[in-house]
Amino acid sequence: MRTLSCALSAGLIAVALPMAVSAKDSKEKVAKAEPLANPGSWFSDQDYPVAANLDGTEGKAGFKLGIGLDGRVADCAITIGSGSEVLDETTCTILKQRARFKPATNAKGVIVPGVYSGMITWRIPQNHAVRLTDQHKRLSLAFDVDEEGVVENCKIVENLGNATYVASLSRVVDPCEVMTTRNRPTPVLDAEGNAIKVHVETTTETKITPR
């Protein structure tokens, strides 16, 4: 097993310590999956979750990736928790989106599934206040509320700056899923006091500036 140490560019929000693990098919040894780029390039300062940034949360997240035949991440598991659900989830989300590999091969040169393990250390950037000035986020939703307060036909009208972080302040979520399964608005009444079905449009906007 070989261990590589890579530091991220920009504000050094994290240090990736990937460890390539040889994959195996039924009986034969196979060549390990190799990253196509420096693992440190998979993350940047702008990836630090707003919620974790605001409450000062840092931590190390160990991960294990399943690499598909196309060199993409087929699955991601957190092997060492950072202590923060949002940091752990963000780690796997980014790895699935950006990590690319030269696929593993068996002794006959046939491409086979591979495995890759590593760790990332999340550290809040030193230019914390400067970075936060760029966190202008806006989330607009449109949905219907029926006579019993049930939300239907929810859709995201606008999501500026990945505002799902702002909507939850703790984890990456689908805001429409929150509206339809967790929230139950109070039914709207007409002039005669009867519950009626209505259409709602709402916008949540957050902009952080230094003082």
Side-chain angles (χ1 to χ4, degrees), residues 9-196:
S9 58
L12 294 181
I13 64 162
V15 177
L17 300 174
M19 297 168 287
V21 179
S22 296
K24 295 182 178 180
D25 57 9
S26 59
K27 295 182 179 180
E28 300 175 320
K29 281 189 174 182
V30 300
K32 62 192 176 184
E34 294 282 0
L36 294 180
N38 186 329
S41 67
W42 296 336
F43 296 83
S44 74
D45 284 0
Q46 299 304 313
D47 296 321
Y48 215 102
V50 172
N53 200 331
L54 292 177
D55 63 18
T57 301
E58 299 181 328
K60 295 182 179 181
F63 58 85
K64 181 178 181 181
L65 307 178
I67 311 303
L69 303 183
D70 59 357
R72 292 175 176 266
V73 177
D75 57 78
C76 173
I78 296 299
T79 55
I80 300 176
S82 65
S84 166
E85 186 177 6
V86 67
L87 292 181
D88 291 345
E89 291 186 354
T90 302
T91 297
C92 277
T93 296
I94 292 175
L95 290 170
K96 289 178 179 178
Q97 292 175 347
R98 302 177 188 168
R100 297 292 183 269
F101 294 81
K102 178 181 178 181
T105 57
N106 63 18
K108 298 178 181 179
V110 177
I111 295 177
V112 295
V115 178
Y116 187 88
S117 297
M119 177 175 289
I120 179 167
T121 300
W122 289 92
R123 295 196 183 99
I124 295 175
Q126 293 182 355
N127 57 339
H128 180 80
V130 175
R131 194 186 76 83
L132 287 179
T133 62
D134 299 327
Q135 297 296 334
H136 186 187
K137 298 179 181 292
R138 183 168 60 250
L139 176 66
S140 297
L141 301 178
F143 53 89
D144 297 326
V145 180
D146 71 10
E147 297 84 350
E148 296 181 355
V150 176
V151 175
E152 303 173 326
N153 306 317
C154 180
K155 67 177 181 178
I156 298 175
V157 178
E158 182 181 27
N159 187 359
L160 173 66
N162 195 15
T164 49
Y165 284 114
V166 176
S168 66
L169 290 182
S170 62
R171 55 182 297 177
V172 184
V173 298
D174 178 353
C176 277
E177 188 272 336
V178 173
M179 291 299 300
T180 56
T181 63
R182 306 182 195 178
N183 290 355
R184 181 61 66 89
T186 301
V188 176
L189 306 180
D190 62 15
E192 298 179 354
N194 300 313
I196 59 174

